[in-house]
Amino acid sequence: MSSGGVSFRIKQHIKMFVQNVYLPSVYKKAVRRTKVNPKRVILADMHSDKIPYSMREIGKRLKKEGYDVKSFCKDSDKMSLFEITRFMKTFMKEYAAAGYIYICSYFLPVSSCEKRPETKVIQLWHSGGLLKKMGYDTADDIPEYYKGNVTANYDLVTVSADICIPVWEKALRLPKGITKATGLARTDIYFDDEWNLESREAFYQLYPEAKGKRVVLYAPSFTGNAADPKCVGIDMVKDVFSGLDENYYLIIKPHPLLKAKYPEYNDERARALLTEDILPVTSVLITDYSSVLFDYCLFRKPFILFTPDIDGYEKTRGLYVDIEEFPAPVAKTGEELKKILMEKTYFEYSEQDFEDFYNKYMGACQGHSIDNILNEVKSL
């Protein structure tokens, strides 16, 4: 969410009415007609038509354990206001009877009413580490005039390391004790040797011309708000690599919100692999403020921070950390980025530097996060 723009404000007021008036009435009616099924699990999201990567593996695990797992995932950007309202109404009816709700980002319906205590809401937040500000810490997510708690009803919030807990509690206005450094469910797959091998094979089958080259993945986030996302670095990165030797092979995977703006990076071949699927074969990651760098740090490989708009970004959204302290060179211009790549200064950091970075920001992610999360859920 963002604080600016007339159309944006109108949408926020519609959301406030839906959250505070309409959805609670739907839920109350459904409660009178249903009982909670402790074996019913709902995976819910409004940013994707498919189960998001952050919930995919835990959904498979719950099915194996005999739970009735249902997906409630839709990309709201592709839906009309009527379709969104109908989707949320249907969800509220299911919410009233579900034992567990798993989400991995903001999901307005779960926070729109006083839920049944038997129903447990687990927030598997989609990003690890600490970087850009979020939640109530920035108007780009939740404007000051918004009435209604967008993070209410959470029973468990999972984070990647102890250092994240106080930040999450403040940014999402969470009660003490529900945010746990269990590790992130999304990261377990990175510790699977078979998955890593299959990911490499799938990549080179799609990109045979990359064999024998140093694969560089450019995976930027976006600036501005979700309604009008921007990425100032893409054209500069393309120019830089056009002047480098052929030992580098560049893959550009913009943030999902940027797909419409940059359709050339969303062709059939690009859609075949998620950004996460490319990490095992990536030699060097380039990003700006994307949390993909924290997933990538589990591989203990070098990365570069390319932040041409850092000054404005810090004044608007803001950061929780000083990126100059990360074990990575920082470039603000195309010339600086080209020099880093030509001189390979990303290799100047030691194995211990990467290990320390991983332990600080992702230390709870050790390949058994789903076990940790489900143990916490059982104790709720």
Side-chain angles (χ1 to χ4, degrees):
M1 298 185 225
S2 172
S3 57
V6 174
S7 63
F8 183 83
R9 282 180 172 265
I10 292 173
K11 288 180 181 178
Q12 298 314 305
H13 284 286
I14 292 172
K15 285 182 180 180
M16 284 188 274
F17 172 80
V18 170
Q19 177 180 6
N20 298 319
V21 180
Y22 179 66
L23 294 183
S25 68
V26 174
Y27 184 82
K28 289 175 182 177
K29 290 179 182 178
V31 164
R32 290 196 292 267
R33 300 170 184 170
T34 60
K35 294 182 179 180
V36 171
N37 179 355
K39 298 297 287 185
R40 171 66 62 85
V41 173
I42 296 177
L43 308 180
D45 188 74
M46 293 189 72
H47 299 87
S48 173
D49 291 325
K50 299 179 180 179
I51 297 174
Y53 189 87
S54 299
M55 296 193 290
R56 189 176 64 187
E57 295 303 316
I58 203 166
K60 292 178 182 177
R61 172 74 168 273
L62 290 166
K63 283 184 179 179
K64 287 182 180 179
E65 294 190 0
Y67 286 89
D68 175 17
V69 179
K70 188 170 185 177
S71 170
F72 254 81
C73 298
K74 288 289 186 180
D75 185 348
S76 62
D77 288 338
K78 300 177 182 177
M79 302 164 70
S80 67
L81 181 59
F82 173 77
E83 289 171 328
I84 292 172
T85 304
R86 184 175 59 183
F87 169 79
M88 290 193 290
K89 178 181 179 180
T90 306
F91 169 83
M92 296 305 287
K93 294 178 180 179
E94 296 284 344
Y95 184 20
Y100 301 93
I101 309 292
Y102 285 81
I103 57 178
C104 61
S105 188
Y106 305 114
F107 189 77
L108 188 67
V110 300
S111 302
S112 64
C113 60
E114 184 177 348
K115 70 174 176 64
R116 282 174 153 169
E118 308 99 292
T119 300
K120 305 302 179 183
V121 175
I122 298 92
Q123 171 62 270
L124 306 172
W125 193 255
H126 55 277
S127 62
L130 293 176
L131 193 50
K132 60 186 177 184
K133 289 186 177 180
M134 63 176 186
Y136 289 95
D137 283 346
T138 172
D140 277 339
D141 276 9
I142 304 170
E144 292 182 359
Y145 57 80
Y146 193 90
K147 304 298 182 183
N149 186 349
V150 302
T151 60
N153 286 335
Y154 296 172
D155 294 285
L156 174 66
V157 179
T158 65
V159 294
S160 60
D162 286 334
I163 194 173
C164 303
I165 293 175
V167 175
W168 256 248
E169 289 177 342
K170 177 179 178 294
L172 300 184
R173 295 183 181 171
L174 301 172
K176 296 285 184 181
I178 70 167
T179 306
K180 303 289 181 67
T182 57
L184 303 183
R186 61 180 286 119
T187 63
D188 281 3
I189 201 75
Y190 300 137
F191 294 85
D192 185 330
D193 291 338
E194 183 177 351
W195 177 83
N196 278 282
L197 177 60
E198 290 174 353
S199 296
R200 292 186 184 99
E201 291 175 345
F203 176 83
Y204 286 116
Q205 187 172 359
L206 281 169
Y207 297 92
E209 67 274 22
K211 288 183 178 179
K213 298 183 179 181
R214 180 171 286 134
V215 176
V216 177
L217 172 62
Y218 177 51
S221 183
F222 66 93
T223 56
N225 61 64
D228 185 28
K230 300 179 178 63
C231 181
V232 300
I234 285 185
D235 290 337
M236 284 186 269
V237 168
K238 285 195 301 184
D239 288 343
V240 165
F241 276 84
S242 67
L244 292 178
D245 62 58
E246 296 182 355
N247 290 325
Y248 283 110
Y249 189 84
L250 175 66
I251 296 286
I252 297 179
K253 291 285 284 187
H255 188 281
L257 288 176
L258 296 167
K259 287 179 180 178
K261 190 162 286 190
Y262 301 100
E264 64 269 36
Y265 305 118
N266 193 37
D267 59 17
E268 184 176 352
R269 187 162 71 160
R271 290 195 301 272
L273 296 176
L274 299 173
T275 300
E276 293 83 357
D277 297 328
I278 303 174
L279 298 185
V281 77
T282 299
S283 298
V284 183
L285 171 73
I286 302 176
T287 189
D288 45 16
Y289 319 106
S290 172
S291 64
V292 69
L293 76 88
F294 294 107
D295 281 38
Y296 184 69
C297 85
L298 271 65
F299 294 90
R300 278 75 152 187
K301 293 190 289 188
F303 61 96
I304 300 168
L305 295 169
F306 183 47
T307 58
D309 59 345
I310 184 68
D311 295 334
Y313 196 86
E314 288 183 320
K315 291 177 182 177
T316 52
R317 175 175 282 269
L319 302 173
Y320 288 119
V321 293
D322 180 1
I323 60 172
E324 296 287 348
E325 296 179 358
F326 286 5
V330 179
K332 296 183 180 179
T333 66
E335 291 75 16
E336 291 175 353
L337 178 61
K338 185 174 184 178
K339 182 178 180 181
I340 289 168
L341 290 162
M342 292 182 67
E343 297 180 2
K344 300 180 177 63
T345 54
Y346 47 81
F347 280 133
E348 292 180 355
Y349 302 89
S350 68
E351 291 182 7
Q352 190 60 52
D353 290 332
F354 293 124
E355 189 68 22
D356 291 344
F357 183 75
Y358 154 73
N359 284 324
K360 182 175 183 178
Y361 293 108
M362 297 291 286
C365 303
Q366 299 184 6
H368 43 78
S369 297
I370 290 177
D371 289 338
N372 296 341
I373 292 166
L374 294 183
N375 286 336
E376 290 288 348
V377 171
K378 289 174 183 177
S379 69
L380 292 175

